[in-house]
Amino acid sequence: MMKILVCISNVPDTTTKITFTNENTQFNTAGVQFVLNPYDEIALSRAIELTENGNGTVTVINVGEISTEPTIRKALAIGATDAVRINAAPHDAYYVAQQIAAYAKDQSFDLILTGRESIDYNGAKVAAMLGELLDIPSVSIIKKLDVDGNAATVEREIEGGKEVITIPFPFVAGTAEGVAEWKIPNMRGIMSARTKPLAVVEPVEVKTLSDVVKFETPTPRGTVKLVDAADPEKLIELLHSEAKVF
Amino acid sequence: MSVLVYVENAEGKFKKSIFEAVSYAKAVANQLETNLVAISIGNVASSDLENLGKFGAEKVLNVTNDKLKTFVNQAYASVVAEAAKKESSTVVVLSNSFSGKGLAPRIGAKLEAAVADGAVDLPSTDGGKFIIKKTAFSNKAFAFVEMNSAIKVISLTPNSYKIEEVVGSANVEEFTSDIKDSDFKAIIKEIVRATDKVSLPDAELVVSAGRGLKGPENWGMIEELADLLGAATACSKPVSDADWRPHSEHVGQTGIAISPNLYIAIGISGAIQHLAGVSSSKVIVVINKDPEAPFFKVADYGIVGDAFEVVPKMIAAVKSLKANA
Ligand SMILES: Cc1cc2nc3c(=O)[nH]c(=O)nc-3n(C[C@H](O)[C@H](O)[C@H](O)COP(=O)(O)OP(=O)(O)OC[C@H]3O[C@@H](n4cnc5c(N)ncnc54)[C@H](O)[C@@H]3O)c2cc1C
Ligand SMILES: Cc1cc2nc3c(=O)[nH]c(=O)nc-3n(C[C@H](O)[C@H](O)[C@H](O)COP(=O)(O)OP(=O)(O)OC[C@H]3O[C@@H](n4cnc5c(N)ncnc54)[C@H](O)[C@@H]3O)c2cc1C
């Protein structure tokens, strides 16, 4: 029986137009659709595949306030066994990792999965921090995950290639594309999600290490300089002598 | 006090992104009026280590333990954290490479240090604060993160800080640290590296193509243009999903994010999720037959035209430019 924990974050949908309020100190959530982080869906899909046929359990955990429950229910609809919500605003990656570590430390999970990164703050930090806090191995960006008994083989992405690594349980891994296909919840999943257990746990005290104090949107580019399709030589000339990129 | 920079090597050599990290760390050390120490793990020629002085390192700690020949983030984090303690470092700098991403958060957690991932500029230290600018919301914004911990860990986005050369040579010292067996549970079985190509995250120039190319058999001209420019190749998500190109080339929100000096997008519409991975490129060129393609709105240069006619002409133009150089 494999016991898997999947960490899920609640993030703005990928098509969201990003704006800020309060003199650019706060993300403007007005009208924003929140979704399960796409990478976390990959982690969840793989966890469900690995525990198919009653071969284990998949618990999802989120550090978030009550507003994240629709996203947690979505994870249950996709097929998680049960869910835990740590009742706190996720202050930063360290805070999130500490909360998850505090919950996981006595639960003897074989495998803890996260997404490679959250698509809001793009930290790619929680997996490795969690590994450190639990004093177990971590691999931050994996493209493949196969389990064999009490160990797994993963492929880690590196510049221009990959590493094939074997790791004994327990460990933490951050999943990227390639690990599994996205799963779409079916009607039965959606119905059963309503009655699956969702435990709400109060947070532990954690030191604040960082604060986002301000946001900025990138300065828009000037209008595009169009070159005639009959004259691509001109484009190469501009890139060479005006933009000076080669 | 000191600033410590971890200098990652790829098969014994330092890449450009490492010199950027050392230059950046030197500038931080200057801001804090302190020294810069580098730490290298693995087998690197001593001349290459001394050479780090040219980018501002005064001292290089050289760790050559056989067990640490290949990268294991858990063990490397222990070594770097120990060095940071010995050198009383208040800032630890790394390159935000794939390995850096697995390492920086572990170092941070060990030292109870805030971690700024993917910094794009020097910290602002006005009023005794320490604030780092990083990209957020998948390149749609920047966040300014105030770091409140005594020690700060910063990973630098490749190609976002200019290399600055100074006069100097670094003193290389052997550094040994106690390593525990429990740090070596992950075992590398195989490393696969396509060495003949420019790797996408490191590339200064990138030629990318999308579904407009119709099929994998048409990538010859994309590769030829890229080879001529010394550029890496990239693609949109549907292209790698259809296995026209490997997943490692997929850029965007769910692929990799890059910030090269030049990004040429050919037959790519410019969907918001694609732009998320490429919009911080310094110069963007779009070749698309549809004048209404959204990509033109964020491009610096463009040609409205058929890629199958335009790209061969671009190739010829680059060839003649090179011939005349
Ligand atoms: C109102 C509000 C304000 C916030 N302010 C800040 C801020 O000031 N600074 C800041 O850094 N962050 C802030 N966040 C939190 C942010 O949304 C992230 O959850 C958190 O910072 C981790 O970000 P990351 O990009 O480093 O995560 P990553 O390390 O990129 O995340 C990797 C993986 O970790 C897991 N994970 C991430 N977050 C959670 C979570 N909350 N619960 C469970 N698993 C998770 C997921 O599997 C994810 O794929 C705020 C969130 C809210 C709702
Ligand atoms: C959650 C989520 C995440 C996603 N993540 C990513 C991501 O990371 N990266 C990504 O790329 N996409 C991502 N997508 C998909 C994205 O929404 C687009 O569907 C995708 O980027 C489109 O790829 P494309 O531009 O190659 O194809 P298309 O949108 O089909 O565009 C093809 C373009 O080629 C042009 N064209 C056709 N023929 C020619 C010709 N002969 N010469 C010149 N131009 C021609 C057309 O005018 C058109 O503009 C994601 C989507 C979702 C929902």
Side-chain angles (χ1 to χ4, degrees), chain A residues 12-82:
Chain A
D13 174 46
T14 55
T15 57
T16 307
K17 183 156 176 13
I18 303 295
T19 59
F20 303 100
T21 57
N22 264 345
E23 289 169 0
N24 286 333
T25 58
Q26 260 177 343
F27 172 53
N28 184 4
T29 54
V32 170
Q33 170 81 28
F34 279 85
V35 297
L36 178 55
N37 189 37
Y39 296 115
D40 306 356
E41 263 189 82
I42 296 177
L44 179 59
S45 297
R46 189 66 188 131
I48 292 166
E49 287 169 8
L50 290 172
T51 54
E52 251 158 17
N53 310 321
N55 190 22
T57 57
V58 179
T59 301
V60 289
I61 186 166
N62 169 257
V63 181
E65 293 171 307
I66 192 161
S67 57
T68 68
E69 289 200 356
T71 294
I72 300 176
R73 290 284 172 206
K74 163 102 190 277
L76 291 169
I78 293 172
T81 319
D82 59 357

Side-chain angles (χ1 to χ4, degrees), chain A residues 6-11 26-27 29 34 37 39-40 43 61-65 67-68 88-94 96 100 113-127 174-175 210-213 215, chain B residues 117 134 145:
Chain A
V6 179
C7 308
I8 57 170
S9 54
N10 180 51
V11 297
Q26 260 177 343
F27 172 53
T29 54
F34 279 85
N37 189 37
Y39 296 115
D40 306 356
I61 186 166
N62 169 257
V63 181
E65 293 171 307
S67 57
T68 68
H91 186 78
D92 61 13
Y94 183 72
V96 169
I100 298 173
L113 297 179
T114 73
R116 66 173 278 179
E117 67 188 59
S118 75
I119 63 167
D120 52 3
Y121 290 81
N122 310 103
K125 291 188 290 203
V126 171
T175 61
S210 73
D211 296 293
V212 174
V213 288
F215 293 98
Chain B
D117 52 87
K134 61 153 282 187
V145 183

Side-chain angles (χ1 to χ4, degrees), chain B residues 211 214 236-237 250-254 267 269 273-274 288 306-307:
Chain B
R211 207 146 56 177
K214 312 281 188 286
S236 66
K237 175 167 153 58
H250 159 198
V251 290
Q253 183 128 36
T254 47
S269 57
Q273 297 94 352
H274 184 85
N288 197 303
D306 185 342

Side-chain angles (χ1 to χ4, degrees), chain B residues 81-276:
Chain B
E82 198 184 318
K85 282 185 197 152
K86 279 214 178 117
E87 296 291 329
S88 317
S89 308
T90 52
V91 177
V92 179
V93 176
L94 305 87
S95 174
N96 197 26
S97 61
F98 285 116
S99 294
K101 283 180 180 167
L103 191 55
R106 291 199 79 118
I107 296 171
K110 266 188 202 293
L111 300 172
E112 214 180 58
V115 182
D117 52 87
V120 294
D121 206 346
L122 286 173
S124 116
T125 51
D126 295 348
K129 291 186 173 166
F130 196 97
I131 299 176
I132 287 280
K133 181 179 181 182
K134 61 153 282 187
T135 54
F137 295 98
S138 305
N139 273 322
K140 292 181 216 166
F142 294 104
F144 291 82
V145 183
E146 180 172 354
M147 306 174 82
N148 306 314
S149 49
I151 304 175
K152 289 116 181 142
V153 177
I154 304 173
S155 69
L156 177 70
T157 299
N159 211 29
S160 61
Y161 192 78
K162 236 180 145 51
I163 293 173
E164 285 156 10
E165 292 206 23
V166 297
V167 185
S169 167
N171 273 327
V172 180
E173 288 176 12
E174 290 304 310
F175 182 77
T176 48
S177 68
D178 299 328
I179 44 178
K180 6 172 229 176
D181 286 341
S182 61
D183 274 352
F184 293 90
K185 286 189 188 136
I187 295 164
I188 299 176
K189 290 284 169 202
E190 193 189 350
I191 300 177
V192 186
R193 240 188 255 267
T195 39
D196 55 326
K197 283 212 162 170
V198 188
S199 100
L200 186 51
D202 297 319
E204 289 180 37
L205 310 177
V206 174
V207 180
S208 184
R211 207 146 56 177
L213 278 228
K214 312 281 188 286
E217 66 281 5
N218 296 326
W219 249 262
M221 61 180 188
I222 302 299
E223 291 190 327
E224 188 179 358
L225 180 59
D227 281 348
L228 277 170
L229 294 172
T233 47
C235 69
S236 66
K237 175 167 153 58
V239 164
S240 61
D241 282 352
D243 277 334
W244 294 359
R245 300 296 294 174
H247 271 292
S248 55
E249 286 196 1
H250 159 198
V251 290
Q253 183 128 36
T254 47
I256 53 176
I258 52 174
S259 45
N261 296 342
L262 173 67
Y263 183 74
I264 305 182
I266 302 168
I268 303 176
S269 57
I272 192 163
Q273 297 94 352
H274 184 85
L275 298 181

Side-chain angles (χ1 to χ4, degrees), chain A residues 46 50 144-148 151-154:
Chain A
R46 189 66 188 131
L50 290 172
K144 200 162 185 249
L145 166 64
D146 288 318
V147 168
D148 182 13
T153 301
V154 303

